[in-house]
Every structure is written in C-alpha cells, then in structure tokens.
Amino acid sequence: MINTKPLNAMRFRSKIIMTAAFSVLFAAVAGNFFKISVLDNKKYQNMANDQHFGSVSISAHRGSIYDSKGVALAKSATVYKIFIDPQSFKEDLDRLEKLINKRKVDVASGTYTPVLDENGNDKNKLPESIDAFKEEAVDLLSQKLGISKEKVLDAIAQDSRYIVLQEQVEKPVADEIDDFFNEWGFVSVRNEEDTKRYYPQKDLAASVIGFTNGNISYGVESSYNKYLSGVDGRTISAVDSNGNALPYRYSKTFEAKDGDDVYLTIDREIQYILEKNLKKMVDDHSVKNRSCAILMNPKTGAIYGMATYPSFDLNDPFTVSDQSIYDKIFAEKNIVEPTKKDFDDYYTEARERMWKNKCITETYEPGSVYKIITSSAAIEENVIDIENDTFYCEGFKKIEGHKANIDCWKLAPGHGVQKFQEALTNSCNPAFMDIGMKLGKEKFCYYFDAFGFREPTGIDLPVEVKGNNKKLDEMELVDLAVSSFGQCETITPIEMITACCASINGGYLLKPYVVDKVVDSDGNIVLKNERTVRRQVISEDTSAKMRNALYNVVVGNGAGNVNIKGFAIGGKSGTSQRLSETSRYEEIKEQEDAAIQEYGASYVCFTPADDPELILFVLADMPDKEGDLYYGSKCAVPTAREILTEVLPYLGKSPEYNEQELKNLDVKVPLLKGASIDDAVKTLDGMGVKYEKIGNGIEVVDQSPMTGKSIAKDGCVYLYTEKVDPSDTMVMVPYLYGCSPSVANQIINDSGLNYTTKGASIDRDGATVNSQSITEGTLVPRGTTIELEFMVNEISD
C-alpha cells in the first residue's frame, strides 16, 4: 500500500501558500483601488477631465483708468476673436455641397421652381459650386481679417476643433463675417468677445499711465495690474474617447470677471498745462535730454500732474516720433551723420528711452536747488546762526587737499560778505561750502539719507531708481564742498521734490502717489491711498524758517524766481553741470571747459509761502548753452511761472494782494457799450481809469478794450459815441524789448495802446521788457492790451 500522507501534506502546504499569495495580491489590489478611488480621487478625476475636456480662455475686460475728475485716460473696448472649427467646417462644406448637387439635378430635371424677390432674384440661390464658395470664403476671411489666404487654408485643413484666425477684430468686421456664413447655415466660423485697450487722451500723461501690450506693461498699467486685469473666463468643451474635440456648440462658458477701475490723483487739465509748457520750454531752449515737471500737494504727497516731454502716443507706443530721442543717442555714440542702419540699430534703445518716466527713472545733479536741503540740515543741527553768521565770497573757494579752486557762479569779486538769507538768495556756492563744512561729513551724509536720496520714494509706479552720493567712508572734503551746493550727488526729480516737501511741510518725508483709489464694478472702494509719513526729518520750527527763507529768496530776487501778483511764493532755482551724463567726466571736471559741458536747469517753488498747498518742480535737462539761457532762472523759472499762472485760477485759488501789488494792480474794463456817455464817464472816474471820447454822440456804441479785458491802472479806455470805419481805429504795435517800465509806459500811451505786466516787479531796479505778447508792427484796434514780461537782466543761478 502506498503511503499518501506525505503527498497530502504537500498538497495542503501548496494550498496554504497559494491562498496566502492570493490574499496578499487581493489586499494589494484592494488597497490600490481604495487609494485611487478615495485617497487620490481628485487627482485622477482631474486627469480624467483633462482627457474628456478642453478649455479656451476668455479675456476679462480690463478696468479703466480715470483722472481725478473721472475723465477716461484708458479704456477697454469690446472687440472679437474670430475662430474656426475645422472639422465642423468640413461637415458644413459637405452639407452645402449636397444642396448644390441636388439643386443642379432639380434644375436639370425641371423640378426646381425658384422663389423670386421683388427684384426678380432667386431668394434661395446657392453658390455655383463648392469650390467657388470655398474660394469666396477664403478671400473674405483673408481680406477682412488682414491675414494671408495660406493661413486660412492651413486652418481649414487642421484636424482640430478650434483655431483662432484673428484677434482684436472690430464689431463691423465680425458682423460682416457672421452674416456671410450664417446665410449658408455654417456653424463652424464664429466669434468670441474680447477686449482691446485704447487711450482716449493719446499722449497725455503717457509715462504715468503706461500701456499694456502682450507681456509688456509700463506705468499704472503695470503697478496696478492685479486690480485692472480682472479674472479671465473659460470655455470648457467636451472631447470624445479618442481625444477629439466635440463640436464647439457642446461647451460650457464661465464668464470672465472684469477688472477694477483706477482713479488717479492727476487732473487732466493740470497735466495738459504742464505738458504744454514743457513743450514750449523744450522748443525755445532746444533741450537735448528731455524735460519733466511735477506738481503735488506737499501736505499729502498726492501728485496732481507728472509730465515728461517729449512724450509718446499710447495708442501707438512702438513709434519713436521725436527726433531728439535719436539725436541724444547719436551724440553719445559720436555718430555725426546717422544712416538708416543707425536708426534701425538704435531703434530699441530709443523706444525704451521714450517710454521712461523721467521723473522717477533718471537721475541728475540737482545743483543749487539742493541748497534747500543743506540749509535745512544746518539749521536743524544749529551749526549756523541764520540771523548773525556771515559768509564771505570772493568768487571762488580753495578746499584743503584739492589742487584747483572751486568757483562761485558769480566769479570774482564774488558776493562779498553775506548773512545766511543773502547767501541763499544769491545762491552763493562758497557760502554753502562753508555751511557744508560746518555741518561736517557725518551729519551731511546723515541728512542725505534722512531726506531719502539714497532710497526710492516708494511712489506707486514701476521701475523707480534711487539717488547716490559718496558714502561717509568715501567722502573727502572736496566731495563735501561740492555736495553742499548740489554738484556731486545724483538724484531723481521725484526724490528732489519729495525732500523739498519735507523742508516746508513741517519736516515730514512723505510717500508720493499717483493713484487715489481703486473701485470695483459694484462701486465699492477696494483700495484708497492716503497720506503716508515715512519719517520726520526736521522739526516744525526748522521747516517754518525754511519756508520764510525761501519766500524771501523770491522777494529778494524777483528776476530769477516766479512772481505772480497776489500770491506769496517761495522758491529756489538750480543750474548744475551734468557730469554724470558724459563719458568725458574727468576731462570736463579738470578743464572746466564750457564747450564740452552740459547743464541741468531746474526750479522748485511752492505757494502759499506760509502754509504750502502746492509745490512745483521743473527740469530742463541739457538746454542750449547759447548766452546764459541755460541757467535755471532763465530756462526753468519762466516755465514754472506760466504753469502756476494757469493752474492757480483753475484750482480756484484767489489772489491776496499786498500793499505794493494793490498800488500797481491791473483793472478789468467794465461793460460800457450801450450806456450813456455820462454814465460811462462816471463809472471810469470812480475806478480812477483814464478815458478818451471819440465822436459827438450821447451813447457809447463801442469801446476798446472790450469788456473783461485787463489794463494797467494808468491805462486808457476809448469810448466811441459814433460808428467809425474799423480801419480808422487801427494802430501799430511798437517794439518794446529792452525798455524800462517808464519808457515802455510812455511808448504804449503814445501809441494809443494798453498793457499789463508779468515777471519781475516793475519797481525792481534794472527791470526791462523781455517779451511782448503781440509782435511789433502788427496792426491792432486802438486800446488793445499788450502783455509785457519784465526781467532783470542779470545772471542768477
């Protein structure tokens, strides 16, 4: 008998092993199933969705940018994206081809009866052939979308469900394409709403607003992009088991969330005033390296206007329209006669320079405007007695360890002995070198940093750069000397005006800003910018002394500052050597050769002088050096005067005249036409205004100047009591340039004309006519008012 026990035992062990193996395998499968279906469900669901769904982004409508009054500066218009579903297009073609073939059979067999319209045309007319239709469709898409026929044919041939033919298509074109394909029942060529950015004010505030084009963005468009951009929507379409997209009609669209609107602190009218006057300054003085201006509130940091000229058209930002941009580059590259290749080679660099906001992205030597900062630091540290200390200027100063003398702008014999106010008014370099030495290197560097010149201001615009100067361990006595009057350091215009704000607003260094608020589509304010104090740099007392000192600069040197009747203004001009703008720095520094130097002409002013509400900065970078017109007082000051003359009444600021101004106050001519001659004479006598009667009538039938015109207090109004031939009233405008106030007054009166004045006070010694509003030799009606600008023809820094 065979013993089966060992065999049975072996079989039993095999069963156990197999059972254990299957148990382990089952556990692994069950565990993996649990992991996939429960733990990693979301991951695999997304993978499945990726296989079963496709998606197309829908651009959100970008938020608008408005000025402080709600005027649109940047808008997004609705445009359309034209796309084709190639697979559906083939199906549409097959369907149309069957209709055409059937029609041909019906016509041939005589079973087709056309339905005619009132003009006798077949309402149900079909294309001659499918090839003819396809050719017509391709031609239409090519012409209307501005793309090649090859691109259309290539799109049609794709094995796809969604091909974009063109973006940014205007509505009339999209409608025309829709009408064409709808006529034949095509569902394969469609459009989607999209957005297009445009700028209604074109070049106004271009460097502040910036633009957006693909992944390129500048200005507010860049710094506030997260608010403006909104959230894109998406169209989700299904795909079949082979991964092919189902027809576009089988889709679901998730609408885009439009961007928020941004409101600037900038006022369009003020911005226009700044840019208009910068253009005149650039044209008049042949400024080589652009100009800029900033008008802001020194109490809050809100910017009312920030301009760079020349500017560019935001709707066409890739066109360099101003030759001066290229001229500056060619001068740097020593290219005397540029060729077309030179223009092509330097196009990108010219374009980038054009886009830059000069107020925040370029540095310059501040020159004598920096004396405001040196003065503030010295007064705060009590190193000078502004009432009693004296400073001597012989036209130059010798600095220990430096081989050459450092000149004052007023050469020997210089300014002589001066107290602080005289030194500031005279803008005396040797006096400020003395003040800098009293302050010392350590304190000078401390205040350079404290006033924010070695750090960005934090303005809400992109690509801001920061100023620079020698650090304490690098600074020698000569560096301290020239830094004290603004010639060693390089800073940005926004740093300069922000530091000047701190000097006059109580000592508070503020964060400037150009955006007031951000508002969502429901009108909710999602962001509000307000006054932000970075730190207090000087005391209220020091700040009050600086306001008074700068007011007295204007009073004491009306020729080189902004004087506007009825407004108390403080200010300081500056003229700097632009050593940092040339590779010939050392050559210029050693030779002091005016022929190879360039200059920066600047001016800062504020009003009211005792409690400033406005502060203005103007810079002409590299004006023409002919004569002395490159000085800040000759170049930047007249521009600042024109800006404030327009801005102050626009903002509703009322003049408050002092005793001297009241004495020489212009008068407005009242309405006299239609009144009796006796009443007219009585009115003018009451105003203390001279008059001349012309004719023997008893009623005023005409008058000159007209109602509302201003004339000097000793001017004359001409009253016509009889109709006269207009040619008999004409007189010729005389040449008045260089005339003193008394001589100009005599000539004007003898000519039968009137005048008003601006610029330097006519009571100031040496004041003469610098310009007249009507060209000499012009024939004008008797009594016409000419505006005369008076200046004191002396050089002032």
Side-chain angles (χ1 to χ4, degrees):
M1 179 179 290
I2 298 174
N3 187 358
T4 61
K5 286 183 179 182
L7 182 60
N8 290 336
M10 185 182 296
R11 288 174 176 171
F12 181 73
R13 285 195 302 273
S14 297
K15 287 181 179 180
I16 291 175
I17 292 171
M18 291 180 66
T19 300
F22 277 115
S23 296
V24 170
L25 182 61
F26 177 79
V29 171
N32 200 40
F33 178 77
F34 179 78
K35 183 175 184 293
I36 292 173
S37 61
V38 179
L39 299 180
D40 293 338
N41 175 267
K42 187 172 183 179
K43 170 184 174 183
Y44 288 100
Q45 184 65 48
N46 289 337
M47 292 174 64
N49 287 342
D50 288 343
Q51 291 184 358
H52 292 287
F53 296 94
S55 66
V56 177
S57 177
I58 301 174
S59 300
H61 281 254
R62 192 170 179 82
S64 299
I65 300 175
Y66 299 97
D67 85 335
S68 60
K69 299 284 182 63
V71 176
L73 302 176
K75 297 281 287 183
S76 286
T78 298
V79 289
Y80 296 86
K81 184 186 297 180
I82 307 298
F83 66 91
I84 187 170
D85 178 340
Q87 293 187 27
S88 289
F89 189 78
K90 296 179 181 70
E91 295 169 4
D92 284 339
L93 285 176
D94 289 342
R95 177 185 52 77
L96 181 60
E97 186 175 26
K98 288 176 182 177
L99 289 175
I100 293 171
N101 291 337
K102 184 177 183 304
R103 175 69 56 83
K104 288 179 178 178
V105 171
D106 291 343
V107 170
S109 64
T111 59
Y112 175 69
T113 303
V115 179
L116 304 179
D117 61 18
E118 58 186 11
N119 296 318
N121 298 316
D122 189 350
K123 291 183 178 181
N124 299 317
K125 184 179 179 181
L126 291 175
E128 181 181 336
S129 68
I130 198 63
D131 289 336
F133 171 81
K134 185 176 178 181
E135 183 178 352
E136 184 181 3
V138 170
D139 284 345
L140 175 76
L141 291 172
S142 172
Q143 292 174 14
K144 296 300 178 182
L145 299 181
I147 58 178
S148 66
K149 293 181 182 180
E150 290 73 19
K151 181 175 180 179
V152 179
L153 291 170
D154 181 66
I156 292 172
Q158 296 294 316
D159 184 18
S160 171
R161 286 292 187 182
Y162 184 87
I163 299 290
V164 175
L165 294 175
Q166 188 60 284
E167 298 179 334
Q168 307 281 293
V169 176
E170 301 291 346
K171 190 175 189 304
V173 173
D175 287 345
E176 190 172 347
I177 292 172
D178 257 2
D179 291 343
F180 175 83
F181 286 101
N182 285 340
E183 182 180 358
W184 309 114
F186 274 51
V187 296
S188 52
V189 180
R190 283 289 176 262
N191 63 64
E192 295 174 326
E193 277 195 12
D194 202 351
T195 60
K196 176 183 179 181
R197 201 67 164 167
Y198 73 101
Y199 302 90
Q201 309 301 322
K202 298 182 179 179
D203 60 349
L204 192 75
S207 61
V208 175
I209 298 167
F211 65 95
T212 178
N213 187 300
N215 60 356
I216 300 175
S217 61
Y218 286 79
V220 170
E221 291 276 32
S222 174
S223 56
Y224 283 82
N225 181 61
K226 68 178 181 180
Y227 296 101
L228 289 163
S229 60
V231 179
D232 288 347
R234 193 162 290 277
T235 296
I236 308 297
S237 58
V239 298
D240 62 21
S241 59
N242 294 319
N244 299 314
L246 294 174
Y248 192 76
R249 58 183 177 269
Y250 299 111
S251 63
K252 181 173 179 60
T253 298
F254 297 91
E255 297 297 334
K257 180 183 180 299
D258 291 345
D260 300 328
D261 294 332
V262 170
Y263 288 79
L264 305 184
T265 57
I266 288 174
D267 183 297
R268 179 186 65 170
E269 294 304 316
I270 292 175
Q271 184 72 23
Y272 171 73
I273 291 169
L274 262 60
E275 294 188 14
K276 176 184 69 174
N277 284 287
L278 284 184
K279 180 183 185 305
K280 185 176 186 303
M281 181 175 71
V282 168
D283 292 344
D284 290 350
H285 296 275
S286 301
V287 178
K288 302 180 186 70
N289 198 28
R290 304 198 297 168
S291 64
C292 66
I294 305 169
L295 182 73
M296 66 187 289
N297 185 328
K299 295 180 177 179
T300 66
I303 292 175
Y304 300 144
M306 175 180 279
T308 299
Y309 186 85
S311 186
F312 61 96
D313 187 346
L314 288 168
N315 296 304
D316 185 21
F318 293 92
T319 298
V320 181
S321 57
D322 197 283
Q323 176 68 30
S324 67
I325 304 288
Y326 280 113
D327 290 344
K328 178 65 168 58
I329 294 174
F330 295 149
E332 293 171 359
K333 309 296 182 183
N334 295 317
I335 299 174
V336 179
E337 295 182 0
T339 64
K340 182 180 183 302
K341 183 177 185 304
D342 292 321
F343 280 95
D344 293 341
D345 289 346
Y346 291 105
Y347 162 73
T348 300
E349 183 175 348
R351 184 191 68 192
E352 293 292 333
R353 289 194 188 192
M354 178 183 70
W355 289 343
K356 281 185 174 181
N357 183 340
K358 190 174 183 70
C359 298
I360 67 170
T361 63
E362 295 180 18
T363 60
Y364 77 110
E365 292 85 353
S368 292
V369 173
Y370 194 85
K371 290 168 183 172
I372 297 174
I373 308 305
T374 303
S375 299
S376 300
I379 294 171
E380 181 71 11
E381 289 297 318
N382 293 311
V383 299
I384 60 171
D385 181 338
I386 63 173
E387 298 295 336
N388 300 308
D389 283 355
T390 58
F391 307 91
Y392 180 69
C393 170
E394 57 182 321
F396 62 89
K397 189 172 183 63
K398 175 71 175 174
I399 301 297
E400 182 182 343
H402 188 60
K403 61 183 179 181
N405 293 330
I406 299 177
D407 291 333
C408 183
W409 64 268
K410 185 176 183 181
L411 302 176
H415 293 106
V417 178
Q418 314 155 91
K419 289 188 177 181
F420 168 76
Q421 183 62 63
E422 294 171 304
L424 183 62
T425 302
N426 293 333
S427 197
C428 177
N429 291 345
F432 273 84
M433 286 187 266
D434 285 342
I435 293 172
M437 295 301 174
K438 287 176 178 288
L439 193 58
K441 290 188 289 185
E442 184 174 348
K443 287 296 184 182
F444 183 91
C445 289
Y446 168 80
Y447 280 98
F448 185 83
D449 291 342
F451 274 101
F453 291 115
R454 222 185 294 271
E455 63 184 357
T457 64
I459 189 171
D460 49 344
L461 288 170
V463 203
E464 181 186 7
V465 302
K466 59 185 178 180
N468 194 25
N469 197 6
K470 296 286 184 69
K471 293 182 179 179
L472 180 60
D473 59 353
E474 303 170 329
M475 184 172 282
E476 299 177 2
L477 285 180
V478 66
D479 299 317
L480 173 61
V482 295
S483 293
S484 297
F485 59 85
Q487 193 54 68
C488 184
E489 58 269 53
T490 53
I491 62 177
T492 63
I494 190 64
E495 285 178 324
M496 188 71 254
I497 192 172
T498 305
C500 289
C501 287
S503 289
I504 63 169
N505 69 8
Y508 300 97
L509 188 67
L510 305 176
K511 178 181 177 181
Y513 57 97
V514 297
V515 169
D516 175 39
K517 61 186 177 182
V518 178
V519 180
D520 68 16
S521 56
D522 296 322
N524 301 310
I525 296 177
V526 298
L527 174 72
K528 176 70 175 175
N529 284 327
E530 296 177 334
R531 178 178 187 259
T532 301
V533 176
R534 293 155 66 192
R535 54 186 169 269
Q536 185 170 10
V537 184
I538 56 175
S539 66
E540 295 271 0
D541 181 64
T542 297
S543 183
K545 290 175 180 175
M546 284 306 306
R547 290 195 297 271
N548 184 64
L550 292 167
Y551 168 68
N552 283 313
V553 166
V554 175
V555 172
N557 181 12
N561 289 278
V562 171
N563 272 296
I564 301 175
K565 295 174 185 177
F567 294 94
I569 297 172
K572 183 73 190 75
S573 63
T575 309
S576 61
Q577 294 175 314
R578 294 291 278 112
L579 301 179
S580 62
E581 264 292 322
T582 175
S583 60
R584 302 172 71 183
Y585 172 84
E586 292 300 330
E587 181 183 357
I588 293 174
K589 186 177 179 183
E590 293 298 325
Q591 294 182 9
E592 290 292 322
D593 185 350
I596 58 176
Q597 289 187 38
E598 296 290 354
Y599 297 90
S602 62
Y603 187 67
V604 66
C605 58
F606 56 90
T607 189
D610 60 342
D611 186 21
E613 296 175 353
L614 294 173
I615 185 168
L616 172 66
F617 173 90
V618 175
L619 168 66
D621 198 358
M622 302 186 186
D624 186 69
K625 294 176 290 186
E626 184 178 351
D628 299 319
L629 297 180
Y630 62 86
Y631 278 89
S633 59
K634 301 289 187 179
C635 181
V637 166
T639 300
R641 181 189 302 119
E642 293 298 327
I643 289 171
L644 285 185
T645 299
E646 294 186 66
V647 165
L648 290 170
Y650 171 74
L651 292 176
K653 305 297 182 182
S654 300
E656 296 180 6
Y657 301 105
N658 58 36
E659 186 177 341
Q660 183 64 36
E661 289 171 334
L662 285 171
K663 178 182 173 183
N664 296 309
L665 196 61
D666 295 335
V667 295
K668 282 192 179 296
V669 177
L671 175 61
L672 302 169
K673 185 178 178 179
S676 69
I677 188 64
D678 292 339
D679 287 344
V681 167
K682 185 177 179 180
T683 298
L684 294 174
D685 282 341
M687 298 172 64
V689 176
K690 293 186 296 184
Y691 59 88
E692 182 178 327
K693 293 187 290 184
I694 301 172
N696 298 313
I698 60 173
E699 181 180 315
V700 179
V701 298
D702 207 350
Q703 68 179 82
S704 182
M706 299 301 293
T707 304
K709 294 290 185 180
S710 293
I711 61 174
K713 197 161 187 176
D714 57 353
C716 181
V717 176
Y718 295 86
L719 303 173
Y720 294 90
T721 62
E722 296 176 356
K723 289 290 185 183
V724 296
D725 188 328
S727 62
D728 293 338
T729 71
M730 305 301 281
V731 296
M732 185 175 291
V733 175
Y735 181 85
L736 298 165
Y737 287 85
C739 292
S740 67
S742 60
V743 172
N745 180 59
Q746 185 63 51
I747 294 174
I748 287 284
N749 287 337
D750 291 346
S751 301
L753 297 167
N754 285 292
Y755 71 95
T756 59
T757 66
K758 66 177 182 178
S761 170
I762 59 175
D763 294 323
R764 185 173 171 83
D765 291 340
T768 59
V769 176
N770 180 64
S771 68
Q772 57 188 76
S773 61
I774 303 177
T775 306
E776 68 275 7
T778 305
L779 290 175
V780 297
R782 183 185 291 110
T784 296
T785 299
I786 303 172
E787 185 180 59
L788 303 179
E789 180 187 38
F790 283 91
M791 291 190 69
V792 178
N793 292 315
E794 61 183 32
I795 298 175
S796 179
D797 188 10

